[in-house]
Amino acid sequence: VTVDLHAHYPMHLLDAVPPGPVGKFRLSLSWLQRLVMTIANAFFNFPKPTDPAVTVDHLLNSPVRVVLSMLYCPFDEIDFSQKYGAPPQPHYFDDLKDQMCTVEKDLEWQQFTHPNKLRLARNPAELNDGLANNELVFIHAIEGGFHIGTTNTATIQSHVAELADLGVAYITIAHLFVRKLATNAPALPFLDDNIYRLIFPESGGITQAGRDLIEAMINEGILIDVSHMSDAALTDTLDLLDDVDPTFTVPVMATHTGVRTGAYHEYNISDANIQRIANRAGVIGLIFCEHWMATGGPKPATLNDSLSIILDHVQHIHDVTGSHDYTAFGSDLDGFIKPTLPGLDYPSAFTTVQNALSSAYTPTIAENICSGNSLRVLQWWRGHVGTSSTHLACGA
Ligand SMILES: [Zn+2]
């Protein structure tokens, strides 16, 4: 069993209007936005133009049984109606729920084609049930705190409570461009860190709204993903956690990243922060993106090169923490990570990854890295309380 902490399932749902019992549904995008995404996906995202990586069929044909499915609205993050660095706008929160609804409708439809093979889990109990039935379990997560749609404390709190009840497991607070919550590490793989810093200036770590968001997430049982944060924001976040949670009961995750094994990228987690994540019994999910992972040597050309790069990062986390209990995977497949590490374009590649870990270490360590460590952290997630359905009213 593999847990993929970070994969972009909705990327291929642009035109998902299947006939049948769940009714029509479609993402609320303009025709131009739909066209832009279709072209971007075909040329810069999917492994093959018409064959996305993160589909139910590919996932069922892989060892992945838990996928944290990223909700992400690119046209809200790259919002040309706003100045650079503007605060999040209210309609982002509606767009987020629209996308969530599209995913839920699609999964409902998938359940007709693949009966008893998959489910959406809204809390750890449903996750554990799905695993016990050997189902493919989808869990909502959000990439970019800007989706919260506000910097107002009370509105942040009510939106976070709503998202918790809808079953959101984690929020990646920072992302590609600063939006008055937390500063981010340069994460456009085609731009050098220093050039990014020149074009997209930012200063400080987390803002008051960022603090409000993190505190609300802790109160509502939504996990904190520190991927994409600048070193300053990551330090602020971990300091805030130490203040509000001095007994270290709240875990923290970096779901899709590398560590600093070779050439410096701020995006990759520093040794000091690896240790601080481990101190909270958190987890670091390794990404399949060549740019962040292949920093120590020549460009990888083969699957074996990719596996040895992954083992370097796994070993580095062990060197820092003395343990393999804090390492996991968040592939970021279909999240514009091309070039992907060679041979790791589809979820089925997790089989070879797990085998490589088994031979390098032990089958038990491989199992923990591929699933056990992530499942441990996910048990902290609160999610939807009770058993009633919380389907969003959508698709009408
Ligand atoms: Zn990301």
Side-chain angles (χ1 to χ4, degrees), residues 9 13 16 18-25 56 99-122 136 138 140 389-396:
Y9 181 74
L13 300 183
V22 303
K24 284 192 169 189
F25 58 92
V56 164
Q99 190 175 107
M100 194 186 279
C101 181
T102 303
V103 172
E104 296 192 2
K105 282 285 183 184
D106 176 80
L107 292 180
E108 239 182 283
W109 177 70
Q110 295 286 349
Q111 280 167 321
F112 284 97
T113 357
H114 307 278
N116 306 315
K117 287 271 169 56
L118 64 130
R119 73 162 74 188
L120 176 72
R122 294 188 181 82
L136 168 62
F138 284 82
H140 287 309
S389 166
T390 50
H391 270 284
L392 291 159
C394 67

Side-chain angles (χ1 to χ4, degrees), residues 152-175:
N152 172 277
T153 307
T155 315
I156 288 174
Q157 287 166 348
S158 76
H159 284 182
V160 169
E162 191 177 343
L163 294 175
D165 201 49
L166 287 165
V168 170
Y170 75 76
I171 301 174
T172 313
I173 292 165
H175 198 227

Side-chain angles (χ1 to χ4, degrees), residues 6 8 70 143 172 174-176 187 225 227-228 255-256 267 287 332 335 337:
H6 196 94
H8 286 268
M70 301 320 298
E143 180 138 42
T172 313
H175 198 227
L176 304 178
D225 179 14
S227 308
H228 286 280
T255 63
H256 58 298
Y267 186 84
I287 193 169
D332 208 4
I337 56 163

